[in-house]
Each structure stands twice: as C-alpha cells, then as structure tokens.
Coordinates of all heavy atoms in Angstrom, one line a residue:
M1065 N 10.0 2.7 -9.1 CA 9.4 1.4 -9.0 C 9.0 0.9 -10.3 O 8.6 1.7 -11.2 CB 8.2 1.4 -8.0 CG 8.6 1.7 -6.6 SD 7.2 1.6 -5.5 CE 7.3 -0.1 -5.0
R1066 N 9.0 -0.4 -10.5 CA 8.6 -1.0 -11.8 C 7.3 -1.8 -11.6 O 6.9 -2.2 -10.5 CB 9.7 -2.0 -12.2 CG 11.0 -1.2 -12.6 CD 12.1 -2.1 -13.1 NE 11.7 -3.0 -14.1 CZ 12.4 -4.1 -14.4 NH1 13.6 -4.3 -13.8 NH2 12.0 -4.9 -15.3
L1067 N 6.7 -2.0 -12.7 CA 5.4 -2.7 -12.7 C 5.6 -4.2 -12.6 O 6.6 -4.8 -13.2 CB 4.6 -2.4 -14.0 CG 4.2 -1.0 -14.2 CD1 3.6 -0.8 -15.6 CD2 3.3 -0.5 -13.2
I1068 N 4.8 -4.9 -11.8 CA 4.9 -6.3 -11.7 C 3.6 -6.9 -12.3 O 2.5 -6.4 -12.0 CB 5.0 -6.7 -10.2 CG1 6.3 -6.2 -9.6 CG2 4.9 -8.2 -10.0 CD1 6.5 -6.4 -8.2
F1069 N 3.7 -7.9 -13.1 CA 2.6 -8.5 -13.8 C 2.3 -9.9 -13.3 O 3.1 -10.5 -12.7 CB 2.8 -8.5 -15.3 CG 2.9 -7.1 -15.9 CD1 4.1 -6.5 -16.0 CD2 1.7 -6.5 -16.4 CE1 4.2 -5.2 -16.6 CE2 1.8 -5.2 -16.9 CZ 3.0 -4.6 -17.0
V1070 N 1.1 -10.4 -13.5 CA 0.7 -11.7 -13.2 C 0.4 -12.4 -14.5 O -0.4 -12.0 -15.4 CB -0.6 -11.7 -12.4 CG1 -1.1 -13.2 -12.1 CG2 -0.4 -11.0 -11.1
C1071 N 1.1 -13.6 -14.7 CA 0.9 -14.3 -16.0 C -0.5 -14.9 -16.0 O -0.9 -15.5 -15.0 CB 2.0 -15.5 -16.0 SG 1.8 -16.5 -17.5
Q1072 N -1.1 -14.7 -17.1 CA -2.5 -15.2 -17.3 C -2.6 -16.7 -17.5 O -3.7 -17.3 -17.5 CB -3.2 -14.4 -18.4 CG -3.3 -12.9 -18.1 CD -4.0 -12.6 -16.9 OE1 -5.1 -13.0 -16.6 NE2 -3.4 -11.8 -16.0
E1073 N -1.5 -17.3 -17.8 CA -1.5 -18.7 -18.1 C -1.1 -19.6 -16.9 O -1.8 -20.5 -16.5 CB -0.5 -19.0 -19.2 CG -0.5 -20.4 -19.7 CD -1.8 -20.8 -20.4 OE1 -2.5 -19.9 -21.0 OE2 -2.1 -22.0 -20.5
C1074 N 0.0 -19.2 -16.2 CA 0.5 -20.0 -15.0 C 0.3 -19.3 -13.7 O 0.6 -19.8 -12.7 CB 1.9 -20.4 -15.2 SG 3.1 -19.0 -15.3
S1075 N -0.2 -18.0 -13.7 CA -0.5 -17.3 -12.5 C 0.7 -16.9 -11.6 O 0.5 -16.6 -10.4 CB -1.6 -18.0 -11.7 OG -2.7 -18.2 -12.4
I1076 N 1.9 -16.9 -12.2 CA 3.0 -16.4 -11.4 C 3.2 -14.9 -11.6 O 2.7 -14.3 -12.6 CB 4.3 -17.1 -11.7 CG1 4.8 -16.8 -13.1 CG2 4.2 -18.6 -11.5 CD1 6.2 -17.2 -13.4
R1077 N 3.8 -14.3 -10.6 CA 4.1 -12.8 -10.7 C 5.5 -12.7 -11.4 O 6.4 -13.4 -11.0 CB 4.1 -12.1 -9.4 CG 2.7 -12.0 -8.8 CD 2.8 -11.3 -7.5 NE 1.4 -11.0 -7.0 CZ 0.7 -11.8 -6.3 NH1 1.1 -13.0 -6.0 NH2 -0.5 -11.5 -5.9
Y1078 N 5.6 -11.8 -12.3 CA 6.9 -11.7 -13.0 C 7.2 -10.2 -13.3 O 6.3 -9.4 -13.3 CB 6.9 -12.5 -14.3 CG 6.0 -12.0 -15.4 CD1 6.4 -11.1 -16.4 CD2 4.6 -12.3 -15.4 CE1 5.6 -10.7 -17.4 CE2 3.8 -11.9 -16.4 CZ 4.3 -11.1 -17.4 OH 3.4 -10.6 -18.3
L1079 N 8.4 -9.9 -13.4 CA 8.9 -8.5 -13.7 C 9.5 -8.5 -15.1 O 10.6 -9.0 -15.3 CB 10.0 -8.2 -12.6 CG 10.6 -6.8 -12.7 CD1 9.5 -5.8 -12.2 CD2 11.7 -6.7 -11.7
P1080 N 8.8 -7.9 -16.0 CA 9.3 -7.9 -17.4 C 10.5 -6.9 -17.5 O 10.7 -6.1 -16.6 CB 8.1 -7.4 -18.2 CG 7.3 -6.6 -17.3 CD 7.5 -7.2 -15.9
P1081 N 11.3 -7.0 -18.6 CA 12.4 -6.1 -18.7 C 11.9 -4.7 -18.9 O 10.8 -4.4 -19.3 CB 13.1 -6.6 -19.9 CG 12.1 -7.5 -20.7 CD 11.2 -8.0 -19.7
V1082 N 12.8 -3.7 -18.6 CA 12.6 -2.3 -18.7 C 12.3 -2.0 -20.2 O 13.0 -2.5 -21.1 CB 13.7 -1.5 -18.2 CG1 13.5 0.0 -18.5 CG2 14.0 -1.8 -16.8
G1083 N 11.3 -1.3 -20.5 CA 10.9 -1.0 -21.9 C 10.2 -2.1 -22.6 O 9.9 -2.0 -23.8
L1084 N 9.9 -3.2 -21.9 CA 9.1 -4.3 -22.4 C 9.8 -4.9 -23.7 O 9.2 -5.3 -24.6 CB 7.7 -4.0 -22.7 CG 6.8 -3.6 -21.5 CD1 5.5 -3.2 -21.9 CD2 6.7 -4.8 -20.6
R1085 N 11.2 -4.9 -23.6 CA 12.0 -5.5 -24.7 C 13.0 -6.4 -24.1 O 13.7 -6.0 -23.1 CB 12.7 -4.4 -25.5 CG 11.8 -3.6 -26.4 CD 11.7 -4.2 -27.8 NE 10.7 -3.5 -28.5 CZ 9.9 -4.1 -29.4 NH1 10.1 -5.3 -29.7 NH2 9.0 -3.4 -30.1
Y1086 N 13.2 -7.6 -24.6 CA 14.2 -8.5 -24.2 C 15.6 -8.1 -24.8 O 15.6 -7.2 -25.7 CB 13.9 -10.0 -24.6 CG 12.7 -10.5 -23.8 CD1 11.5 -10.9 -24.4 CD2 12.8 -10.7 -22.4 CE1 10.5 -11.4 -23.8 CE2 11.7 -11.2 -21.7 CZ 10.5 -11.5 -22.4 OH 9.5 -12.0 -21.7
G1087 N 16.6 -8.7 -24.3 CA 18.0 -8.3 -24.8 C 18.2 -8.6 -26.3 O 18.9 -7.9 -27.0
N1088 N 17.4 -9.6 -26.9 CA 17.6 -9.9 -28.3 C 16.7 -9.0 -29.2 O 16.6 -9.2 -30.4 CB 17.3 -11.4 -28.6 CG 15.9 -11.8 -28.1 OD1 15.1 -10.9 -27.7 ND2 15.6 -13.1 -28.3
G1089 N 15.9 -8.1 -28.5 CA 15.1 -7.1 -29.3 C 13.6 -7.5 -29.4 O 12.8 -6.7 -29.9
T1090 N 13.3 -8.7 -29.0 CA 11.9 -9.1 -29.1 C 11.0 -8.5 -28.0 O 11.6 -8.1 -26.9 CB 11.7 -10.7 -29.0 OG1 12.3 -11.1 -27.7 CG2 12.5 -11.4 -30.1
A1091 N 9.8 -8.3 -28.3 CA 8.9 -7.6 -27.3 C 8.5 -8.6 -26.2 O 8.2 -9.8 -26.4 CB 7.6 -7.2 -28.1
A1092 N 8.5 -8.0 -25.0 CA 8.0 -8.8 -23.8 C 6.5 -8.7 -23.8 O 5.9 -7.7 -24.2 CB 8.7 -8.3 -22.6
S1093 N 5.9 -9.7 -23.2 CA 4.5 -9.7 -23.0 C 4.0 -9.2 -21.6 O 4.7 -9.4 -20.7 CB 3.9 -11.1 -23.2 OG 2.6 -11.2 -22.9
V1094 N 2.9 -8.4 -21.6 CA 2.4 -8.0 -20.3 C 1.3 -9.0 -19.8 O 0.8 -8.9 -18.8 CB 1.8 -6.6 -20.3 CG1 2.9 -5.6 -20.6 CG2 0.7 -6.5 -21.4
V1095 N 1.0 -10.0 -20.7 CA 0.0 -11.0 -20.4 C 0.6 -12.3 -19.9 O 0.1 -12.9 -19.0 CB -0.9 -11.3 -21.6 CG1 -1.9 -12.4 -21.3 CG2 -1.6 -10.0 -22.1
W1096 N 1.7 -12.7 -20.5 CA 2.4 -14.0 -20.2 C 3.8 -13.8 -19.7 O 4.5 -12.8 -20.2 CB 2.4 -14.9 -21.4 CG 1.1 -15.2 -21.9 CD1 0.0 -15.8 -21.2 CD2 0.6 -15.1 -23.3 NE1 -1.1 -16.0 -22.1 CE2 -0.7 -15.6 -23.3 CE3 1.2 -14.7 -24.5 CZ2 -1.5 -15.6 -24.5 CZ3 0.5 -14.7 -25.6 CH2 -0.9 -15.1 -25.6
C1097 N 4.3 -14.7 -18.9 CA 5.7 -14.7 -18.5 C 6.5 -15.1 -19.7 O 6.0 -15.5 -20.7 CB 5.9 -15.5 -17.3 SG 5.6 -17.3 -17.5
A1098 N 7.8 -15.1 -19.6 CA 8.7 -15.4 -20.7 C 8.5 -16.9 -21.2 O 8.4 -17.2 -22.4 CB 10.2 -15.2 -20.3
E1099 N 8.4 -17.8 -20.2 CA 8.2 -19.2 -20.6 C 6.8 -19.4 -21.3 O 6.8 -20.1 -22.3 CB 8.3 -20.1 -19.4 CG 9.7 -20.1 -18.7 CD 9.7 -20.9 -17.4 OE1 8.7 -21.6 -17.1 OE2 10.8 -20.8 -16.8
C1100 N 5.8 -18.9 -20.7 CA 4.4 -19.0 -21.3 C 4.4 -18.3 -22.7 O 3.7 -18.8 -23.6 CB 3.4 -18.6 -20.4 SG 3.2 -19.6 -18.9
Q1101 N 5.1 -17.2 -22.8 CA 5.1 -16.4 -24.0 C 5.7 -17.3 -25.1 O 5.2 -17.3 -26.3 CB 5.8 -15.1 -23.9 CG 5.8 -14.3 -25.1 CD 6.5 -12.9 -25.0 OE1 7.1 -12.7 -23.9 NE2 6.4 -12.1 -26.0
A1102 N 6.8 -17.9 -24.8 CA 7.5 -18.8 -25.8 C 6.6 -20.0 -26.2 O 6.5 -20.4 -27.3 CB 8.8 -19.3 -25.2
E1103 N 5.9 -20.5 -25.2 CA 5.0 -21.7 -25.4 C 3.8 -21.2 -26.3 O 3.5 -21.9 -27.2 CB 4.5 -22.2 -24.1 CG 3.6 -23.5 -24.3 CD 3.1 -24.0 -22.9 OE1 3.8 -23.9 -22.0 OE2 2.0 -24.5 -22.9
M1104 N 3.3 -20.1 -26.0 CA 2.2 -19.6 -26.9 C 2.6 -19.2 -28.3 O 1.9 -19.4 -29.2 CB 1.5 -18.3 -26.2 CG 0.8 -18.6 -24.9 SD -0.5 -19.8 -25.1 CE -1.0 -20.1 -23.5
A1105 N 3.9 -18.7 -28.4 CA 4.4 -18.4 -29.8 C 4.6 -19.7 -30.5 O 4.3 -19.8 -31.7 CB 5.7 -17.7 -29.6
A1106 N 5.0 -20.8 -29.8 CA 5.2 -22.1 -30.5 C 3.8 -22.7 -30.9 O 3.7 -23.3 -32.0 CB 5.9 -23.1 -29.5
R1107 N 2.8 -22.4 -30.2 CA 1.4 -22.8 -30.5 C 0.8 -22.0 -31.6 O -0.2 -22.3 -32.2 CB 0.5 -22.8 -29.3 CG 0.8 -23.9 -28.3 CD -0.2 -23.7 -27.2 NE 0.1 -24.6 -26.0 CZ -0.5 -24.5 -24.9 NH1 -1.6 -23.8 -24.7 NH2 -0.1 -25.3 -23.9
G1108 N 1.3 -20.8 -31.8 CA 0.7 -19.8 -32.7 C -0.4 -19.0 -32.2 O -1.1 -18.3 -32.9
V1109 N -0.4 -18.9 -30.8 CA -1.4 -18.0 -30.2 C -0.9 -16.6 -30.0 O 0.2 -16.5 -29.5 CB -1.8 -18.6 -28.8 CG1 -2.8 -17.7 -28.1 CG2 -2.3 -20.0 -29.0
E1110 N -1.6 -15.6 -30.4 CA -1.2 -14.2 -30.3 C -1.8 -13.6 -29.1 O -2.9 -14.0 -28.6 CB -1.6 -13.4 -31.5 CG -0.8 -13.9 -32.8 CD -1.1 -13.0 -34.0 OE1 -1.6 -11.8 -33.7 OE2 -0.9 -13.4 -35.1
E1111 N -1.1 -12.6 -28.5 CA -1.5 -11.9 -27.3 C -2.7 -11.0 -27.7 O -2.7 -10.3 -28.7 CB -0.4 -11.1 -26.8 CG -0.7 -10.3 -25.5 CD 0.5 -9.6 -25.1 OE1 1.4 -10.2 -24.5 OE2 0.5 -8.3 -25.2
S1112 N -3.8 -11.1 -26.9 CA -5.0 -10.2 -27.2 C -4.7 -8.8 -26.8 O -4.2 -8.6 -25.6 CB -6.1 -10.8 -26.4 OG -7.2 -9.8 -26.3
P1113 N -4.9 -7.8 -27.6 CA -4.7 -6.4 -27.2 C -5.5 -6.0 -26.1 O -5.1 -5.2 -25.2 CB -5.0 -5.6 -28.5 CG -4.9 -6.6 -29.6 CD -5.3 -7.9 -29.0
A1114 N -6.8 -6.5 -26.0 CA -7.7 -6.1 -24.9 C -7.2 -6.7 -23.6 O -7.2 -6.0 -22.6 CB -9.1 -6.6 -25.2
L1115 N -6.7 -7.9 -23.6 CA -6.1 -8.5 -22.4 C -4.8 -7.8 -22.0 O -4.6 -7.6 -20.8 CB -5.9 -10.0 -22.6 CG -5.6 -10.9 -21.4 CD1 -6.7 -10.7 -20.4 CD2 -5.4 -12.3 -21.8
A1116 N -4.0 -7.4 -23.0 CA -2.8 -6.7 -22.6 C -3.1 -5.4 -22.0 O -2.4 -4.9 -21.0 CB -2.0 -6.5 -23.9
A1117 N -4.1 -4.7 -22.5 CA -4.5 -3.4 -21.9 C -5.0 -3.6 -20.5 O -4.7 -2.8 -19.6 CB -5.6 -2.7 -22.8
L1118 N -5.8 -4.6 -20.3 CA -6.3 -4.9 -18.9 C -5.2 -5.2 -18.0 O -5.2 -4.8 -16.8 CB -7.4 -6.0 -18.9 CG -8.7 -5.6 -19.5 CD1 -9.6 -6.8 -19.6 CD2 -9.4 -4.5 -18.6
A1119 N -4.2 -6.0 -18.4 CA -3.1 -6.4 -17.6 C -2.2 -5.1 -17.2 O -1.8 -5.0 -16.1 CB -2.2 -7.4 -18.3
M1120 N -2.1 -4.2 -18.2 CA -1.3 -3.0 -17.9 C -2.1 -2.1 -16.9 O -1.5 -1.5 -16.0 CB -1.1 -2.2 -19.2 CG -0.2 -1.0 -19.1 SD 1.4 -1.4 -18.6 CE 2.1 -1.9 -20.1
I1121 N -3.4 -2.0 -17.1 CA -4.2 -1.2 -16.1 C -4.1 -1.8 -14.7 O -3.9 -1.0 -13.7 CB -5.6 -1.1 -16.6 CG1 -5.7 -0.2 -17.9 CG2 -6.6 -0.5 -15.5 CD1 -7.1 -0.3 -18.6
A1122 N -4.2 -3.1 -14.6 CA -4.1 -3.7 -13.3 C -2.8 -3.5 -12.7 O -2.7 -3.3 -11.5 CB -4.5 -5.2 -13.4
A1123 N -1.7 -3.6 -13.4 CA -0.4 -3.4 -12.9 C -0.1 -2.0 -12.4 O 0.4 -1.7 -11.4 CB 0.7 -3.8 -13.9
V1124 N -0.6 -1.0 -13.2 CA -0.5 0.4 -12.8 C -1.3 0.7 -11.6 O -0.9 1.4 -10.6 CB -0.9 1.3 -14.0 CG1 -1.1 2.7 -13.5 CG2 0.1 1.2 -15.1
R1125 N -2.5 0.1 -11.5 CA -3.3 0.3 -10.3 C -2.7 -0.3 -9.0 O -2.7 0.3 -8.0 CB -4.7 -0.3 -10.5 CG -5.6 -0.1 -9.3 CD -7.0 -0.6 -9.5 NE -7.6 0.2 -10.6 CZ -8.7 -0.1 -11.3 NH1 -9.2 -1.3 -11.1 NH2 -9.2 0.7 -12.2
A1126 N -2.1 -1.5 -9.2 CA -1.4 -2.1 -8.1 C -0.2 -1.3 -7.6 O 0.1 -1.1 -6.4 CB -0.9 -3.5 -8.5
L1127 N 0.5 -0.7 -8.6 CA 1.7 0.2 -8.3 C 1.2 1.4 -7.5 O 1.8 1.8 -6.5 CB 2.4 0.6 -9.5 CG 3.6 1.5 -9.3 CD1 4.7 0.8 -8.5 CD2 4.2 1.9 -10.7
K1128 N 0.1 2.0 -8.0 CA -0.4 3.2 -7.3 C -0.9 2.9 -5.9 O -0.6 3.6 -4.9 CB -1.6 3.8 -8.1 CG -1.1 4.5 -9.3 CD -2.3 5.1 -10.0 CE -1.9 5.9 -11.3 NZ -3.0 6.4 -12.0
D1129 N -1.5 1.7 -5.7 CA -1.9 1.3 -4.4 C -0.8 1.1 -3.4 O -0.8 1.5 -2.3 CB -2.8 0.0 -4.4 CG -4.2 0.2 -5.1 OD1 -4.6 1.4 -5.2 OD2 -4.8 -0.7 -5.5
A1130 N 0.3 0.5 -4.0 CA 1.5 0.2 -3.2 C 2.1 1.6 -2.8 O 2.6 1.7 -1.6 CB 2.5 -0.6 -3.9
L1131 N 2.2 2.5 -3.7 CA 2.8 3.8 -3.4 C 1.9 4.6 -2.3 O 2.4 5.2 -1.5 CB 2.9 4.7 -4.6 CG 4.0 4.2 -5.6 CD1 4.0 5.0 -6.9 CD2 5.4 4.3 -5.0
T1132 N 0.6 4.4 -2.4 CA -0.3 5.1 -1.5 C -0.1 4.5 -0.1 O 0.0 5.2 0.9 CB -1.8 4.9 -1.9 OG1 -1.9 5.5 -3.2 CG2 -2.7 5.6 -0.9
R1133 N 0.0 3.2 0.0 CA 0.2 2.5 1.3 C 1.6 2.9 1.9 O 1.7 3.1 3.1 CB 0.2 1.0 1.1 CG -1.2 0.4 1.0 CD -1.3 -1.1 1.2 NE -0.4 -1.8 0.3 CZ -0.7 -2.2 -0.9 NH1 -1.9 -1.9 -1.4 NH2 0.2 -2.8 -1.7
R1134 N 2.6 3.1 1.0 CA 3.9 3.5 1.5 C 3.9 4.9 2.0 O 4.5 5.2 3.1 CB 4.9 3.4 0.3 CG 6.3 3.8 0.8 CD 7.3 3.8 -0.4 NE 7.8 2.4 -0.5 CZ 8.7 2.1 -1.4 NH1 9.2 3.0 -2.2 NH2 9.1 0.9 -1.5
T1135 N 3.2 5.8 1.4 CA 3.2 7.2 1.8 C 2.3 7.3 3.1 O 2.6 8.1 4.0 CB 2.6 8.1 0.8 OG1 1.3 7.7 0.3 CG2 3.6 8.2 -0.4
E1136 N 1.2 6.5 3.2 CA 0.4 6.5 4.4 C 1.2 6.0 5.6 O 1.1 6.4 6.7 CB -0.9 5.7 4.2 CG -1.9 6.4 3.3 CD -3.1 5.5 3.0 OE1 -3.1 4.3 3.4 OE2 -4.0 6.0 2.4
A1137 N 2.0 4.9 5.4 CA 2.8 4.4 6.4 C 3.9 5.3 6.9 O 4.3 5.3 8.0 CB 3.4 3.1 6.0
A1138 N 4.4 6.2 6.0 CA 5.5 7.1 6.3 C 4.9 8.4 6.9 O 5.7 9.2 7.4 CB 6.3 7.4 5.1
A1139 N 3.6 8.6 6.9 CA 3.1 9.8 7.4 C 3.2 9.9 8.9 O 3.1 8.9 9.6 CB 1.6 9.9 7.1
P1140 N 3.5 11.1 9.5 CA 3.7 11.1 10.9 C 2.4 10.9 11.7 O 1.3 11.2 11.2 CB 4.2 12.6 11.1 CG 3.7 13.3 10.0 CD 3.7 12.3 8.8
L1141 N 2.5 10.3 12.8 CA 1.3 10.0 13.6 C 0.8 11.3 14.3 O 1.6 12.2 14.6 CB 1.7 9.0 14.7 CG 2.0 7.6 14.2 CD1 2.5 6.8 15.4 CD2 0.9 7.0 13.5
P1142 N -0.5 11.5 14.4 CA -1.0 12.7 15.0 C -0.6 12.7 16.5 O -0.4 11.7 17.1 CB -2.5 12.6 14.8 CG -2.8 11.1 14.6 CD -1.5 10.6 14.0
D1143 N -0.5 13.9 17.1 CA -0.2 14.1 18.5 C -1.4 13.7 19.3 O -2.5 14.3 19.1 CB 0.1 15.5 18.7 CG 0.7 15.7 20.1 OD1 1.1 14.7 20.8 OD2 0.8 16.9 20.6
R1144 N -1.3 12.7 20.1 CA -2.4 12.2 20.9 C -2.4 12.5 22.4 O -3.0 11.8 23.2 CB -2.5 10.6 20.7 CG -2.8 10.3 19.2 CD -3.2 8.8 19.1 NE -3.4 8.5 17.8 CZ -4.5 8.4 17.1 NH1 -5.6 8.8 17.8 NH2 -4.6 8.1 15.9
R1145 N -1.6 13.5 22.7 CA -1.5 13.9 24.1 C -2.8 14.6 24.5 O -3.4 15.3 23.7 CB -0.3 14.8 24.4 CG 1.0 14.1 24.2 CD 2.1 15.0 24.4 NE 2.2 15.9 23.3 CZ 3.0 17.0 23.2 NH1 3.7 17.3 24.2 NH2 3.0 17.7 22.1
P1146 N -3.3 14.3 25.7 CA -4.5 15.0 26.1 C -4.3 16.5 26.3 O -3.2 16.9 26.7 CB -4.9 14.3 27.5 CG -3.6 13.8 28.0 CD -2.7 13.4 26.7
S1147 N -5.3 17.3 26.1 CA -5.2 18.7 26.3 C -5.3 19.1 27.7 O -4.8 20.2 28.1 CB -6.3 19.4 25.5 OG -7.6 19.0 25.9
Q1148 N -5.9 18.3 28.6 CA -6.0 18.5 30.0 C -5.5 17.3 30.7 O -5.6 16.2 30.2 CB -7.4 18.8 30.4 CG -7.9 20.1 29.8 CD -9.4 20.4 30.2 OE1 -10.0 19.5 30.8 NE2 -9.9 21.5 29.9
P1149 N -5.0 17.5 32.0 CA -4.6 16.3 32.7 C -5.9 15.4 33.0 O -7.0 15.9 33.1 CB -4.0 16.8 34.0 CG -4.5 18.2 34.1 CD -4.8 18.7 32.7
P1150 N -5.7 14.1 33.2 CA -6.8 13.3 33.5 C -7.5 13.7 34.9 O -6.8 14.0 35.8 CB -6.2 11.9 33.6 CG -4.8 12.1 33.8 CD -4.4 13.4 33.2
R1151 N -8.8 13.6 34.9 CA -9.5 13.9 36.1 C -9.6 12.7 37.0 O -9.8 11.6 36.5 CB -10.9 14.4 35.8 CG -10.8 15.7 35.0 CD -12.2 16.2 34.6 NE -12.1 17.3 33.7 CZ -12.6 18.5 34.0 NH1 -13.3 18.7 35.1 NH2 -12.5 19.5 33.1
T1152 N -9.5 12.9 38.3 CA -9.7 11.7 39.2 C -11.1 11.7 39.7 O -11.8 12.7 39.7 CB -8.7 11.9 40.4 OG1 -9.0 13.1 41.1 CG2 -7.3 11.9 39.9
S1153 N -11.5 10.6 40.2 CA -12.9 10.4 40.7 C -13.0 11.0 42.1 O -14.1 11.2 42.6 CB -13.3 8.9 40.7 OG -12.4 8.2 41.5
R1154 N -11.9 11.1 42.8 CA -12.0 11.7 44.2 C -12.2 13.2 44.1 O -11.7 13.9 43.2 CB -10.7 11.4 44.9 CG -10.5 9.9 45.2 CD -9.2 9.6 45.9 NE -8.8 10.7 46.7 CZ -7.6 10.7 47.3 NH1 -6.7 9.8 47.1 NH2 -7.2 11.7 48.1
G1155 N -12.8 13.7 45.1 CA -13.0 15.1 45.3 C -11.7 15.8 45.8 O -10.7 15.1 46.0
R1156 N -11.8 17.1 46.0 CA -10.7 17.8 46.6 C -10.4 17.4 48.0 O -11.4 17.2 48.8 CB -10.9 19.3 46.5 CG -10.9 19.7 45.0 CD -11.1 21.2 45.0 NE -10.0 21.8 45.8 CZ -9.3 22.9 45.4 NH1 -9.5 23.4 44.2 NH2 -8.4 23.4 46.1
I1157 N -9.2 17.3 48.4 CA -8.8 17.0 49.8 C -8.8 18.3 50.6 O -9.3 18.3 51.8 CB -7.5 16.3 49.9 CG1 -7.5 15.0 49.1 CG2 -7.0 16.1 51.3 CD1 -6.2 14.3 48.9
R1158 N -8.4 19.4 50.1 CA -8.3 20.6 50.8 C -9.7 21.4 50.7 O -10.4 21.2 49.7 CB -7.2 21.5 50.3 CG -5.9 20.9 50.5 CD -4.8 21.8 50.0 NE -3.5 21.2 50.1 CZ -2.5 21.5 49.4 NH1 -2.6 22.4 48.5 NH2 -1.4 20.9 49.6
P1159 N -10.0 22.2 51.7 CA -11.2 23.0 51.5 C -11.0 24.0 50.4 O -9.9 24.4 50.0 CB -11.3 23.7 52.9 CG -10.0 23.6 53.5 CD -9.3 22.4 52.9
N1160 N -12.1 24.5 49.9 CA -12.1 25.4 48.8 C -11.6 26.8 49.2 O -10.9 27.5 48.4 CB -13.5 25.6 48.2 CG -13.9 24.4 47.5 OD1 -13.1 23.6 47.0 ND2 -15.2 24.2 47.3
S1161 N -11.8 27.2 50.5 CA -11.4 28.5 50.9 C -9.9 28.5 51.4 O -9.5 27.4 51.8 CB -12.3 29.1 52.0 OG -12.2 28.3 53.1
G1162 N -9.3 29.6 51.4 CA -7.9 29.7 51.9 C -7.9 29.7 53.4 O -6.9 29.4 54.0
R1163 N -9.0 30.1 54.0 CA -9.0 30.1 55.5 C -9.4 28.8 56.1 O -10.3 28.1 55.5 CB -10.0 31.2 55.9 CG -9.5 32.6 55.5 CD -10.6 33.6 55.8 NE -11.0 33.5 57.2 CZ -12.0 34.2 57.7 NH1 -12.7 35.0 57.0 NH2 -12.3 34.1 59.0
T1164 N -8.9 28.5 57.2 CA -9.3 27.3 57.9 C -9.8 27.7 59.3 O -9.5 28.8 59.7 CB -8.1 26.3 58.0 OG1 -7.1 26.9 58.7 CG2 -7.7 25.8 56.7
R1165 N -10.5 26.8 60.0 CA -11.0 27.1 61.3 C -9.9 26.7 62.3 O -9.7 25.5 62.5 CB -12.2 26.4 61.6 CG -13.4 26.8 60.8 CD -14.6 26.1 61.2 NE -15.6 26.4 60.2 CZ -16.8 25.8 60.3 NH1 -17.1 25.0 61.3 NH2 -17.7 26.1 59.4
L1166 N -9.3 27.6 62.9 CA -8.3 27.4 63.9 C -8.9 28.0 65.2 O -8.7 29.2 65.4 CB -7.0 28.0 63.6 CG -6.3 27.3 62.4 CD1 -5.0 28.1 62.1 CD2 -6.0 25.9 62.6
H1167 N -9.5 27.3 66.1 CA -10.1 27.9 67.4 C -9.2 27.5 68.5 O -8.7 26.6 68.8 CB -11.5 27.4 67.6 CG -12.4 27.9 66.5 ND1 -12.8 29.2 66.4 CD2 -13.1 27.2 65.5 CE1 -13.6 29.3 65.4 NE2 -13.8 28.1 64.9

C-alpha cells in the first residue's frame, strides 16, 4: 500500500509518485499536491520541513490505521454457539421416576 497525503493548500487527497520523485527528477512534496506545489514554487514559497514531517507522520498513521482495520475485518468471528441447549420455561412433562402408577 502507498501513502496518501492531504494537500495543505487546497485540502484534496493525492497520491505522490513512488520515491517522492516526478518523472523529470524533481522532488514531490508531501505538503502540497502537484498543482499547489507548482504555484508555491512560482510564488517563491518553500516547503516547511516541520510541516513536511507532520504530513509524513499523519500519512503513516493513516496507513497503519487502515491496515489495522483491514486485519480486524478479516479476523474470523468467534464461535457463538451456546454450550447448552436453551432452557424452556415449562417444567417436565413426564414424572421424574421411571415407575408409573398402574392400578
């Protein structure tokens, strides 16, 4: 599974390239999507290392939570059969002794 990030500028979820490098060799951002990263580069705004670290931690935590939910959902359900048959509210119909009164 790959990490999914949330753009801090436009709040969309995005999937950066593997290795955080684009095809032309430039570094991908963990803070901004590709469009916002290009806009911030045009403005001269640099990515904050502290914000990048927080974004990476949040993405890893979300991945771990998703994996935990997946393994919990795949876990077998416990056996819920009763150990004894259900008891009825009625008493016994037959007498307790094996002998009956036949006069």
Side-chain angles (χ1 to χ4, degrees):
M1065 294 184 89
R1066 291 179 51 194
L1067 298 176
I1068 297 175
F1069 293 91
V1070 177
C1071 180
Q1072 300 302 308
E1073 188 67 23
C1074 64
S1075 300
I1076 66 164
R1077 289 182 173 85
Y1078 67 98
L1079 184 67
V1082 178
L1084 294 175
R1085 291 266 174 213
Y1086 292 115
N1088 60 5
T1090 60
S1093 173
V1094 296
V1095 177
W1096 300 307
C1097 63
E1099 294 175 8
C1100 292
Q1101 183 181 6
E1103 185 179 326
M1104 293 300 173
R1107 290 183 189 174
V1109 178
E1110 293 186 19
E1111 183 178 287
S1112 167
L1115 191 57
L1118 286 175
M1120 185 65 79
I1121 290 169
V1124 169
R1125 183 175 293 160
L1127 178 63
K1128 286 181 181 179
D1129 290 344
L1131 289 174
T1132 301
R1133 283 192 306 272
R1134 178 183 277 183
T1135 55
E1136 286 174 355
L1141 295 175
D1143 189 15
R1144 297 193 183 264
R1145 291 180 288 172
S1147 59
Q1148 295 180 352
R1151 297 178 188 240
T1152 60
S1153 60
R1154 292 178 31 189
R1156 291 183 56 135
I1157 297 173
R1158 297 182 181 156
N1160 289 335
S1161 65
R1163 295 175 51 191
T1164 58
R1165 292 185 192 177
L1166 296 174
H1167 297 289

